[in-house]
Amino acid sequence: MRFFHLSDLHIGKRLNGYSLQENQEQVLGQIVNYARERHPDAILICGDIYDKTAPSGEAYTLFGWFLEELSRIRPRIPVLIIAGNHDSPERLAYAGSFLEKHRIYLSVMPPSGPEEHLKQIVLEDEEGEVTFWMLPFLKPGYVRRLAEGKEPLSWEGAVRLVLERNQIDFSKRNVILSHQFYAGERRNPETCDSEQAVLLAGGLDQVPASLLEKFDYAALGHLHGAQQAGKPWIRYCGTPYKYSVSEQYHQKAVLEVTLGAKGEPVTWESLPLCGVQDVRAIRGTLEELLDRAGGKICRDFVSVTVTGEEELYHVREKLEEVYPFLLDFRVENSRMRQALQGEEEPLPVQSPLETFGQFYEAVTGQGLTEEQKAWMEQTVDTVKEERR
């Protein structure tokens, strides 16, 4: 069985105030063309469809167009979609029953009651059935009813609890879609600037990837760089477009996964994606940077470092004449280094949990217990969600 693995579309995202709609249209169109040419048995979209919980009208329109184009392909390709931490479950679930008639399946919330279980979609190929288990983004508070009063749950405990409640026959082929921060035992995941805002300080939301090792393939979303998490078949596919300068060296792609008979190694191929504009960092003297464009306007999103010892005037204005999509610029020379050395050392930025922990220790004379840390983390997370 062959299927496409996608995640983190972040439709509607803006980069330093610039709209990315033209680039997102480009990469989504490329995905549709790959689907027409290669006709996979399924398409998995593993969360963060939208960038905001309240997407713009343009974002809704673009995703609607994408699903409509996929639904036009014959034979029809099943599309499986789970919600990510950026998605509003209620908004994403709109018209879900109608979409299922077009073989577009949504799962927007994890099971929260004793009678609920993970949504599963069963597809068949020449080797038999493959069960796709759909696990949308969850926080420990989402599944507190399942814990039967044994709170507080950690992020690991919440995911483990949900998985163990489902009677999964691992003698058959199983694929899971999940949107969490998974990490292998020996290596921390590679993260990017564009996702740092949603990762909790200290890795409190980190879940061991070993929980997913029994699945034949784990299609993950949440991290923006393509990478494995633990075992090779537990994979992040990455975003289809660059959403920060820290991703400038990423090779964006849709992952085409091939699942053979039970016990056979899983294989995958990266099908390259490219937006209208690149996202990159450049450096050099002001003269070099202006000459580098060769008299043409450079439409890429660029972060600029200006070097050289000459006096500089109206730097931004001169750069924007050649680089109209300037993200930011900084000057790097001996005068700037001397000025920075003369400044006071900035205070370290602490997370709300670290700040409260120091306050608690100062008042009580003892540090927070692990149980208290978990409670505080849930409280901070809830406040962040309400402010979004």
Side-chain angles (χ1 to χ4, degrees):
M1 179 170 290
R2 289 183 304 110
F3 52 86
F4 284 0
H5 174 192
L6 302 167
S7 77
D8 295 85
L9 308 183
H10 287 283
I11 297 174
K13 184 175 178 63
R14 303 180 72 84
L15 184 57
N16 284 32
Y18 295 112
S19 171
L20 296 178
Q21 182 166 342
E22 185 180 7
N23 292 281
Q24 292 181 326
E25 288 175 352
Q26 172 97 344
V27 295
L28 292 178
Q30 291 169 2
I31 293 168
V32 170
N33 289 335
Y34 280 133
R36 290 195 186 106
E37 295 167 5
R38 305 175 79 95
H39 206 282
D41 298 299
I43 296 174
L44 318 184
I45 308 179
C46 301
D48 281 358
I49 284 75
Y50 298 111
D51 190 58
K52 302 292 184 184
T53 54
S56 65
E58 291 82 2
Y60 275 123
T61 299
L62 180 53
F63 188 52
W65 170 85
F66 178 58
L67 293 181
E68 184 176 354
E69 290 300 305
L70 291 177
S71 69
R72 293 178 186 273
I73 300 173
R74 295 293 185 275
R76 188 166 278 157
I77 303 171
V79 180
L80 284 61
I81 305 169
I82 62 171
N85 56 291
H86 279 255
D87 298 313
S88 163
E90 296 79 10
R91 289 184 171 90
L92 191 59
Y94 176 73
S97 59
F98 172 79
L99 292 174
E100 287 205 7
K101 296 178 181 179
H102 297 270
R103 303 197 74 186
I104 299 172
Y105 304 97
L106 296 167
S107 180
V108 299
M109 283 295 289
S112 59
E115 70 288 351
E116 298 178 12
H117 294 83
L118 288 178
K119 186 168 187 173
Q120 53 183 296
I121 303 298
V122 180
L123 303 178
E124 290 191 35
D125 62 5
E126 61 276 5
E127 301 292 344
E129 294 183 348
V130 178
T131 302
F132 291 83
W133 300 87
M134 302 173 70
L135 174 58
F137 176 73
L138 66 81
K139 300 177 184 177
Y142 291 178
V143 296
R144 62 167 57 95
R145 288 176 56 203
L146 301 180
E148 299 178 347
K150 300 175 182 178
E151 292 190 282
L153 280 173
S154 65
W155 291 76
E156 174 185 351
V159 173
R160 185 188 301 275
L161 176 63
V162 171
L163 292 177
E164 289 178 349
R165 291 185 68 257
N166 293 268
Q167 297 179 348
I168 303 175
D169 183 357
F170 286 109
S171 68
K172 298 180 179 179
R173 294 180 296 170
N174 295 277
V175 173
I176 188 168
L177 291 71
S178 183
H179 190 98
Q180 301 288 152
F181 184 31
Y182 290 100
E185 293 181 359
R186 299 182 180 179
R187 180 181 178 186
N188 289 325
E190 297 177 5
T191 59
C192 308
D193 293 345
S194 52
E195 68 211 9
Q196 287 294 337
V198 298
L199 300 180
L200 298 184
L204 293 176
D205 54 346
Q206 198 171 106
V207 178
S210 57
L211 292 183
L212 308 180
E213 288 182 359
K214 290 184 179 180
F215 289 91
D216 296 274
Y217 185 79
L220 305 182
H222 199 32
L223 299 188
H224 290 188
Q227 59 193 288
Q228 71 183 60
K231 301 297 183 183
W233 61 89
I234 305 173
R235 301 197 71 82
Y236 288 99
C237 61
T239 58
Y241 182 72
K242 300 175 183 179
Y243 289 129
S244 69
V245 176
S246 63
E247 300 172 50
Q248 65 175 318
Y249 298 117
H250 288 188
Q251 302 298 316
K252 299 302 185 181
V254 54
L255 209 57
E256 183 181 52
V257 180
T258 301
L259 190 66
K262 182 69 178 181
E264 291 183 357
V266 180
T267 60
W268 49 84
E269 179 182 355
S270 294
L271 309 177
L273 299 171
C274 182
V276 178
Q277 297 159 280
D278 197 5
V279 181
R280 56 197 177 94
I282 57 176
R283 63 183 290 127
T285 66
L286 183 58
E287 183 179 2
E288 290 170 343
L289 293 168
L290 297 178
D291 289 344
R292 192 172 298 173
K296 298 180 180 179
I297 300 298
C298 175
R299 287 177 48 82
D300 290 345
F301 296 106
V302 294
S303 174
V304 176
T305 300
V306 182
T307 62
E309 298 298 327
E310 69 272 16
E311 292 285 348
L312 300 174
Y313 302 96
H314 306 294
V315 179
R316 175 177 287 276
E317 291 81 354
K318 293 177 180 178
L319 288 171
E320 287 181 335
E321 289 180 4
V322 177
Y323 303 99
F325 294 93
L326 180 68
L327 298 176
D328 57 60
F329 80 94
R330 63 184 60 83
V331 176
E332 188 177 286
N333 56 29
S334 59
R335 292 191 305 277
M336 184 59 65
R337 284 191 291 270
Q338 289 174 1
L340 291 174
Q341 289 172 359
E343 295 180 356
E344 293 184 2
E345 185 176 343
L347 293 174
V349 178
Q350 293 182 316
S351 70
L353 186 60
E354 291 171 331
T355 302
F356 179 80
Q358 290 183 358
F359 169 77
Y360 183 86
E361 186 171 355
V363 172
T364 66
Q366 57 187 2
L368 291 170
T369 66
E370 291 303 315
E371 182 178 2
Q372 289 169 329
K373 287 180 181 178
W375 273 109
M376 275 304 301
E377 184 275 325
Q378 288 185 24
T379 302
V380 171
D381 210 24
T382 300
V383 172
K384 285 182 178 179
E385 187 68 24
E386 290 175 351
R387 288 183 177 180
R388 287 174 59 184

